[in-house]
């Protein structure tokens, strides 16, 4: 069997990537430091910390989402198991809701595959490639992830902040540039604005920082668990589970055939 | 390490409790036979088959329960994972909804612990013990599981059928008898009917068949998965997830402080 | 909201597809009957019952699989939650192990898409189409699911039985026929036998019975839960969890860099 | 239905406890701030931040625990679902491994229930109460959680640091004091050292900070998810799943009857 490089533990010592938990990490490094150490194998620099914190904060809670509802309904049936309720909510973090940044990063990476030294291309050259990619996707009926927003039809404010930070922190690179060219190419093809949205931008930022799409998905899961814990704990003091059950049963009985 | 006695598998042969899956089980034994073989180590006799089928059927589906809703909401977020949606629904099968037969069986077993040869006691003697148990529980504020029903205040029709079957099949024993004495003793103490309910009866039946409470819980889980699969598959063609989300958000916004 | 057609439940009555659970189903229909009623909306005929029982039996248990190990390790950490341990095991029933019949059915369906009235084609015509499909897949480096077996290189005995049953029961149709032609075409292209395996055959059988790939996946999940319950219950009396933990830690420490 | 006070979200705005995610939280507050806001309803002060960071860091990873193994085995079977693998690992965070601080806090709270103004008692008075509690538990055969350590038989270094921090930060209160008296009383009764361990100390610290046991459990879950993400991502590049499967099968076959 291969060795796991993450860490080891016995009754006496716990090590994460070679650092002793009790002597070197606790009270000396915060959660974001050790999270990064465990997953990536090194402590984050200032700009990576900033990105990680923003990614975690952005996914904590979006209100009574399907994920939060699943946690609360599960706690209603199994009030003894906080971990079961949180796990149930986590299982809804799939391709539709918390996986879109991952999908965008995969798309960008694939679209630049085979392009030699893409970071040396000018914006015009990236734009020409983006037009070709958009044309091919449209011909094959393939959706381009990370573009368009139901409300912010011209520009998503979260995208603007994330790109501003990428420029400030010096990692605005070929993936962010290409993502913007893709948005412009699609808008041109459709004849209406199709701004780069938050998920599309997050995917580009991950790649420009040298990270993987699944690291982005991992951050979304960690952040979301904090929100699901909040819902599970609120459910104990202000239960919604029984009301949700009654509402759903009544709505189904009165529902369309 | 100990050996697992359940079975073994490689690319060539799969064995369950020593029976070859391909040669001895498939197309020769049905699901209930092999389920029983895997869990208990032997094929069921006629009366055990009947009880297992009834326990499985009874737990398949109870409408849009919290468990079914969790499955549907999870599929809405992660449509790619049928197993994730089903697992989310299963996590709500805890102490409150699908665990009550288990709790009743535990209670009955504990209440008869220390009674010597309880099966030799007359109904009057079991009744006297039941009165003592009820008195002790009431003094300690402890609820007795398996008694009472919100609608069938006099007698639960499912209990009557299960007890009739236990008598027909010859396993109506000390746990069923004691459970009925407990119901009578509690009714006497409260001055109103407190019939043995379906969960309480299921717990007694398990013990009179020589089975464990956790076997009963296991059957509830297996049966319920069939219902959750039904909800997950219906959710793909007749989705409720988005409507549930909208309803819950609107109800919370308009909700009581 | 739409109505769910599966069922409804209140404290008094539970209905599945319009049948009253207490009056019409319990002790009158067995688990396979009501499972089919809940998922498909009707009781099974004799041949569907046979197929369902065989699919359930085939997936109950394959020994100490990753799925069974996940159940046992989870119970070791959370002994209070049978449903949590079973759900953990279920989550491993993904694309790699219990999803292969589903993948084969999808492949067959897609490969016959666009072929007009495929059931009217002769074996020679289906064979010609199979050769074209194999050539296209090989050109694109796409794997064809459901073909080949590490041990039964000439013919998988489970496949032979399943096809014999399909013939006996009169539903050996275009999907089974096309699957066999695909196996022959791939064997011809590779110059070595590539028999239709159990998963490939199961996918073809599902489609010839007019069922969906996801129904097959659903049966695999239901069957597997019975095996996971067996492992969870055995883990309580013959625990392996701590030994697995020790073995894994030791193997990692001694492992390859 | 009641209102959920945690937050709300639509396509335009996401609010957490009344703070706009985009305008007020992102890039202005870090993860620990917003985690605390979501769960407790307010930002943490300096000492609460310190405690939260330490609790999160302490539970991230303890090597190839049952929880990490369940995540890796689940990913092996369902490589497409990061959330499923992480949820499987989370389900093992039950009463045995990540629930011990919660159990200790419950014990301390219950043991001081009915004591009037316990914070006004002297150490000698708390000690007398501890002796009575220990005597009662021993008479009833009840284990006292949070005491004893297999290796650090005299004093657990993590406990010493946590208590030092509690004193530095001014929240060393009646629960920490009573926990130490319990350890002394049990050691006296058994005639050998039984130091307050890390879990017992964490339970006392939670209560002295005015927090609930379930908040502690929630932090353990959030921290642990970071470690499980690390294992899931490592499993993709350095897979152990197949080796674990082989090892377990071989060990079972050679195992004791």
């Amino acid at each position: 069997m291969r060795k796991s490089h993450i860490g080891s533990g016995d009754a006496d010592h716990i090590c994460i990537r070679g650092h002793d938990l009790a002597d070197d990490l606790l009270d000396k490094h915060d959660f974001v430091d050790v999270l990064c150490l465990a997953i990536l194998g090194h402590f984050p620099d200032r700009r990576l910390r900033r990105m990680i914190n923003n990614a975690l904060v952005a996914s904590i809670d979006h209100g009574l989402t399907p994920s939060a509802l699943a946690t609360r309904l599960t706690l209603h049936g199994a009030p003894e198991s906080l971990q079961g309720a949180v796990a149930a909510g986590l299982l809804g973090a799939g391709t539709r809701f918390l996986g879109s940044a991952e999908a965008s990063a995969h798309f960008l990476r694939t679209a630049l595959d085979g392009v030699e030294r893409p970071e040396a291309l000018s914006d015009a050259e990236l734009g020409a490639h983006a037009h070709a990619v958009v044309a091919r996707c449209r011909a094959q009926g393939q959706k381009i992830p990370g573009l368009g927003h139901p409300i912010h039809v011209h520009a998503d404010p979260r995208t603007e902040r994330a790109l501003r930070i990428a420029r400030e922190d010096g990692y605005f690179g070929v993936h962010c540039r290409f993502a913007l060219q893709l948005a412009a190419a699609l808008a041109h093809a459709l004849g209406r604005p199709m701004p780069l949205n938050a998920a599309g931008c997050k995917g580009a930022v991950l790649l420009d920082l040298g990270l993987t799409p699944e690291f982005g998905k991992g951050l979304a899961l960690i952040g979301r668990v904090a929100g699901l814990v909040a819902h599970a704990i609120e459910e104990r003091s202000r239960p919604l589970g029984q009301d949700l059950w009654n509402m759903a049963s009544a709505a189904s009985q009165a529902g369309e055939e």
Side-chain angles (χ1 to χ4, degrees), chain A residues 32-33 36 44-58 161-171 205 209 219:
Chain A
V32 169
D33 271 357
C36 194
D45 61 11
R46 194 192 52 78
R47 66 187 197 176
L48 185 51
R49 278 184 69 80
R50 189 182 184 185
M51 188 284 275
I52 291 175
N53 268 307
N54 283 341
L56 293 173
V57 166
R161 185 189 27 245
L163 293 178
R164 181 174 48 68
I165 293 173
R167 284 194 180 93
E168 275 176 29
D169 283 356
Y171 59 83
V205 158
L209 275 165
L219 294 180

Side-chain angles (χ1 to χ4, degrees), chain A residues 67 70-76 78 81-90 228 232:
Chain A
S67 184
T71 285
R72 300 183 81 126
L73 289 158
T74 301
L75 196 85
H76 186 53
S81 172
L82 197 66
Q83 75 270 16
V86 170
L90 207 56
L228 296 176

Side-chain angles (χ1 to χ4, degrees), chain A residues 111-124:
Chain A
L112 289 174
D113 236 33
V115 177
E116 214 178 324
R117 302 226 317 114
E119 62 284 2
L121 297 185
S122 69
D123 281 354

Side-chain angles (χ1 to χ4, degrees), chain A residues 14-146:
Chain A
I14 291 165
C15 271
I16 300 181
R17 303 277 181 188
H19 298 258
D20 187 89
L21 174 62
D23 294 344
D24 305 334
L25 299 175
L26 270 173
D27 214 38
K28 290 175 183 146
H29 288 278
D30 73 1
F31 176 58
V32 169
D33 271 357
V34 186
L35 168 164
C36 194
L37 179 68
I39 303 179
L40 299 180
H42 57 77
F43 291 117
D45 61 11
R46 194 192 52 78
R47 66 187 197 176
L48 185 51
R49 278 184 69 80
R50 189 182 184 185
M51 188 284 275
I52 291 175
N53 268 307
N54 283 341
L56 293 173
V57 166
S59 53
I60 289 180
D61 188 62
H62 295 182
L64 286 176
T65 56
S67 184
L69 294 171
T71 285
R72 300 183 81 126
L73 289 158
T74 301
L75 196 85
H76 186 53
E80 71 283 7
S81 172
L82 197 66
Q83 75 270 16
V86 170
L90 207 56
L91 289 170
T95 51
R96 192 172 287 156
F97 294 131
L98 282 181
S100 39
E102 205 186 7
S104 298
H106 276 298
F107 184 87
L108 291 171
R109 200 156 63 172
T110 306
L112 289 174
D113 236 33
V115 177
E116 214 178 324
R117 302 226 317 114
E119 62 284 2
L121 297 185
S122 69
D123 281 354
E125 290 165 322
L126 283 174
H129 185 56
H131 276 281
V133 167
V134 164
R136 199 183 57 228
C137 287
R138 295 191 71 208
Q140 299 175 350
Q142 192 195 342
K143 209 181 157 306
I144 300 178

Side-chain angles (χ1 to χ4, degrees), chain A residues 2 10 17 19 31 68 80 88 92-93 108 128 132 140 142 152 156 167 172 178-179 188 211 227 233 235 237 247 249:
Chain A
R2 282 177 176 142
D10 57 33
R17 303 277 181 188
H19 298 258
F31 176 58
E80 71 283 7
L108 291 171
Q140 299 175 350
Q142 192 195 342
H152 301 297
D156 184 332
R167 284 194 180 93
F172 181 86
F178 182 60
H188 185 263
L211 302 167
I233 288 179
E235 181 69 18
S237 58
M247 273 196 331
S249 295

